[in-house]
Amino acid sequence: MSDNDEVTLLDRAIKSRNIDRYYARFLSPSEYIVLRYIHDKTTEWGKRQTFIRRENISLGDRGRLVAGKHLGTGLSVSTVGRALKLLRNRGLIVRGRNDGRGAVYRINYDWLPTEGEQDEYYAVQEARSRTFEDDEVDADMPEDDAADLEAGY
């Protein structure tokens, strides 16, 4: 499939779900937000790649508020730049033509976290599960919260 082929509705749904289910846990909040922006501007519009400016990721599309206009992420331009660089270095996005004002971006949906990233994630999950055992109740916890916790809420 070429970069100009349209993305089907099913592909859009699967790719969106994969970002949330599989990639999010391996990304910083700013990386996730920038990746979601690129996904919105490409895959959600049926495209495999598109030209994007860092300023647009940060501040949104210029002009009047109309349907389809993105209001931006609210991240600073420098934070967007760092997130783009990290996503590129990790292989999650591919940057094409760059004219100094912006670049063509595409998401690498075949990306997998490195073994080190996976090991770190599972170590954190293991530590979290040991931090609070099901039969433990913090003595400082309000009685209502403790009852909710024991009830499984």
Side-chain angles (χ1 to χ4, degrees):
M1 204 172 266
S2 78
D3 286 334
N4 294 326
D5 291 341
E6 188 170 315
V7 181
T8 68
L9 286 174
L10 180 59
D11 279 344
R12 293 178 205 182
I14 290 169
K15 290 172 187 324
S16 181
R17 183 185 67 213
N18 287 348
I19 288 173
D20 293 333
R21 289 187 179 179
Y22 307 120
Y23 300 166
R25 67 188 65 206
F26 298 102
L27 303 174
S28 70
S30 59
E31 288 172 313
Y32 175 78
I33 290 168
V34 169
L35 184 67
R36 268 302 193 181
Y37 180 94
I38 295 170
H39 174 78
D40 177 63
K41 286 296 197 172
T42 56
T43 308
E44 289 298 330
W45 283 91
K47 301 183 284 184
R48 300 214 178 270
Q49 62 183 15
T50 196
F51 181 83
I52 301 173
R53 297 178 57 197
R54 285 182 299 181
E55 291 79 10
N56 292 119
I57 296 173
S58 174
L59 305 170
D61 301 331
R62 296 180 186 206
R64 295 180 51 146
L65 182 59
V66 294
K69 178 181 175 179
H70 198 294
L71 297 178
T73 62
L75 299 172
S76 71
V77 175
S78 59
T79 297
V80 168
R82 282 190 300 275
L84 287 169
K85 184 176 182 177
L86 289 167
L87 290 168
R88 275 194 331 270
N89 290 344
R90 294 175 73 189
L92 237 165
I93 62 172
V94 177
R95 183 176 72 183
R97 177 179 49 95
N98 181 354
D99 68 2
R101 294 177 301 117
V104 173
Y105 288 98
R106 138 179 99 74
I107 296 176
N108 173 15
Y109 289 102
D110 295 325
W111 177 82
L112 293 172
T114 65
E115 282 188 36
E117 290 171 322
Q118 292 179 48
D119 291 345
E120 182 181 330
Y121 169 74
Y122 291 116
V124 167
Q125 293 300 91
E126 177 68 24
R128 285 181 181 160
S129 69
R130 283 193 313 255
T131 302
F132 189 81
E133 297 296 329
D134 291 341
D135 57 348
E136 272 182 25
V137 176
D138 188 356
D140 297 331
M141 186 180 293
E143 205 171 295
D144 290 345
D145 290 345
D148 286 348
L149 185 62
E150 288 174 358
Y153 295 112

